[in-house]
Amino acid sequence: MFQPVTDYLKLFLTLINWLVFTNVFFVAKRTLKKSKRLRNNSDVKAKQIVAIMTSLLTLQNCFFYYYFEPYTMVSHDSGEIFRNILYGYFIYDLGNVMDGYKNSMMDKFYILHHVTSIMCLRYNLAKFYMVRAMIYAEISNLPLYIYKFMRVNYIALEKKHKEERENDKDKKEDMIGGSKELWESRKRLLAVKKVEIALYGFFRVVML
């Protein structure tokens, strides 16, 4: 029979998860820097990779906790582990926000969001429908993280295209239209944005 998760183990799990998310960030950043195509703004992209990984992990844990937890012998432990994975991520991301803090509205929003989320996770997840809410929230978040990742590439490509036109007088007439590569990138970015808006509107407004 499994023993309930102790307070010391909870703290240990939180620290381990924080270390995991932090190391994934640095590994992703180093990997991106080695790529000629993806090396630009590797810091921002690495953060989105961690966010996508966390979102998928949270969805997996949500489905396990929501659908299988009542039928398992480790129901108490699964809930605590589920919480501490998210504690680790929120602490990791709070460090990112504070590291680049500019006193903007988004900085304040993220700090409030993460602190509030940590406090809410202490309550009964099933009783307050938090697991179901997190399922909807993370599904709607995934396209946003992908959009942010792709947007960094688009901005870099746009900047590169602009510099090429300024340095080559023969390309001045192409100032408005842009290159085929730029147009294709913009088209993909807009497609992901539409998916993001649709999913966000459905799950955040209709379902929540």
Side-chain angles (χ1 to χ4, degrees), residues 110-179:
Y110 280 124
I111 291 172
L112 178 63
H113 173 273
H114 290 358
V115 172
T116 303
S117 297
I118 290 172
M119 293 175 64
C120 289
L121 283 169
R122 297 169 55 210
Y123 295 101
N124 187 306
L125 298 178
K127 182 178 179 181
F128 294 99
Y129 303 101
M130 289 181 63
V131 176
R132 186 185 300 177
M134 279 188 280
I135 290 175
Y136 297 152
E138 292 305 328
I139 291 175
S140 65
N141 279 341
L142 273 172
L144 174 62
Y145 299 143
I146 297 171
Y147 170 79
K148 286 182 177 180
F149 187 96
M150 292 176 63
R151 187 171 181 270
V152 174
N153 278 338
Y154 174 76
I155 291 173
L157 184 62
E158 190 177 41
K159 182 180 178 182
K160 177 186 174 183
H161 180 70
K162 184 178 179 181
E163 290 174 351
E164 287 177 350
R165 285 177 300 171
E166 290 176 350
N167 295 330
D168 190 343
K169 293 181 180 180
D170 294 333
K171 292 186 178 181
K172 286 290 184 179
E173 66 276 5
D174 195 35
M175 185 70 74
I176 298 177
S179 68

Side-chain angles (χ1 to χ4, degrees), residues 192-206:
V192 173
K193 185 64 177 179
K194 290 176 182 178
V195 173
E196 179 216 331
I197 292 172
L199 286 179
Y200 192 94
F202 179 74
F203 285 105
R204 295 293 184 110
V205 179
V206 179

